Amino acid sequence: MPKPEVDPTVQLELSVDRSSPVPLYFQLSQQLEAAIEHGTLTPGSLLGNEIELAARLGLSRPTVRQAIQSLVDKGLLVRRRGVGTQVVHSQVKRPLELSSLYDDLEAAGQRPATKVLVNTLVPASAEVAAALNVAEDSDVHRVERLRLAHGEPMAYLCNFLPPGLIDLDTGQLETTGLYRLMRAAGITLHSARQSIGARAATTEEAERLAEEAGAPLLTMQRVTFDDTGRAVEYGTHTYRPTRYSFEFQLLVRS
Amino acid sequence: MPKPEVDPTVQLELSVDRSSPVPLYFQLSQQLEAAIEHGTLTPGSLLGNEIELAARLGLSRPTVRQAIQSLVDKGLLVRRRGVGTQVVHSQVKRPLELSSLYDDLEAAGQRPATKVLVNTLVPASAEVAAALNVAEDSDVHRVERLRLAHGEPMAYLCNFLPPGLIDLDTGQLETTGLYRLMRAAGITLHSARQSIGARAATTEEAERLAEEAGAPLLTMQRVTFDDTGRAVEYGTHTYRPTRYSFEFQLLVRS
DNA sequence: GTAGTCAGATTGTCCGGACATTCCGATTGA
DNA sequence: TCAATCGGAATGTCCGGACAATCTGACTAC
């Protein structure tokens, strides 16, 4: 009589380098994540108890727990008291993160192209001033870009930035994303407020995106903050829904 | 000469109850969160160093760190090595979480109403079978609902669920949300894959939502998994973009 | 045979300490 | 006056241990 299928405890080849400056818990979590990604740790398999795992690696239990916890936070592992820690079954991709459209497209293998339409200083409108928390009519950067994939327009991006944060070089804007430029300028992105909606295209919008007037457009507005709480970017984007949609994975925060 | 404005270290009245079954770190993090919410801890203010905070509360440093870490993960606090821990400036609302439209509307103070259009068992189509990971043509629940706010239709929700998980009572479906029913049935929601897009309304869709054919609609597809990796729900939703948009806050994963 | 009970296993919480790393301001030197 | 150096202060990492809470499976009693 066949035994019921039980997820086995997997024996992994794990090791840490104590002379490395990389934290031990991080080395361990990276190895575990790689094993999950690679399929060595199959979904549903038990990870083995923390005490024994710590002993095998010559680490303390808190260190092992810290490594496991980081993967639990990523949604790759599930802990059950009295049972153990196992790999989740579902195919977890990347959870929704604060990424730029440019990075998204590049990761999807579509060589993105950017055409800078406008790159200038303008006085802040009431809407922009409120979003960026600056005085109305004070100077702000205004950048309008058209993002293309495979030569087809995909999105129209209009962004406002407070002055003095970053120098916006048109050439750089055409070869990389705005977020990458901000990170390179030493800005630590912290959070963003987003709003995703839809509306019919105006004649202007339709022309920019090679659609027809009245065609449905996907819209996104976003204000991004750095870790000091400053608003560092306000953007109004419109996407062609036939070419782009927002795909992401959510984790339940427990 | 006026001193430069420096964010002060705030003295808070904190206490923990060691006889409570609530974990100490959780008691502390809740009090800190309440103080931030209430404005007692103002944005930018320093939290005071962990060692002294632990001594004042009669706790160990790891326990205090665990409390602080949970708030850092929520985006409410920022730690800086060599400096201290301070409250984030930006108005952090709730980060995007796996919530139901029903809960969203209720939280916004709009008494949501639900009209169940269909509640039956149907054979799974190829699309549904793939999403729920069940055999094609096997029985699955099909639920179609119209969600209204202030008497106006706001969204059309079509959901599929594998059989045996939960008994779908039409009466209950009209008075609460699907997620709440699933949680009440002992299902631990873990993650969901979502896709948000837009398209023009068909004649059918337009009629359901009191729009005109060709009007832009906001669409959302979602597969939800429980912590064992089973798909527990697949949904295809259409929203009236003039009445609803997705608002949320993102945190940068560090 | 069925239901309740008990024991083992595993994670959850908490402690007290140690040293490393990083940031910032103050002191020192040119 | 300005720049480099130094030291204090705070968080980051890591250890070893202890007990509690919970789940599973096996045993026992009816």
Side-chain angles (χ1 to χ4, degrees), chain A residues 18 23-25 58-63 66 81-83:
Chain A
R18 298 197 86 98
L24 299 177
Y25 78 91
L59 298 174
S60 70
R61 192 180 160 214
T63 302
Q66 192 174 2
R81 188 188 292 207
V83 180

Side-chain angles (χ1 to χ4, degrees), chain B residues 18 23-25 58-63 66 81-83:
Chain B
R18 299 197 85 97
L24 300 177
Y25 78 89
L59 298 174
S60 71
R61 191 179 162 216
T63 302
Q66 193 173 2
R81 186 188 290 209
V83 180

Side-chain angles (χ1 to χ4, degrees), chain B residues 25-38:
Chain B
Y25 78 89
F26 193 74
Q27 292 183 36
L28 177 54
S29 71
Q30 275 193 321
Q31 289 182 47
L32 290 175
E33 187 169 359
I36 294 170
E37 182 81 22
H38 183 266

Side-chain angles (χ1 to χ4, degrees), chain B residues 4 56 73 83 95 148 154 157 162-163 204 211 225 240:
Chain B
R56 212 169 80 213
D73 291 339
V83 180
L148 310 111
M154 172 169 272
L157 317 170
E204 261 184 301
E211 290 274 351
F225 303 92
R240 296 176 76 181

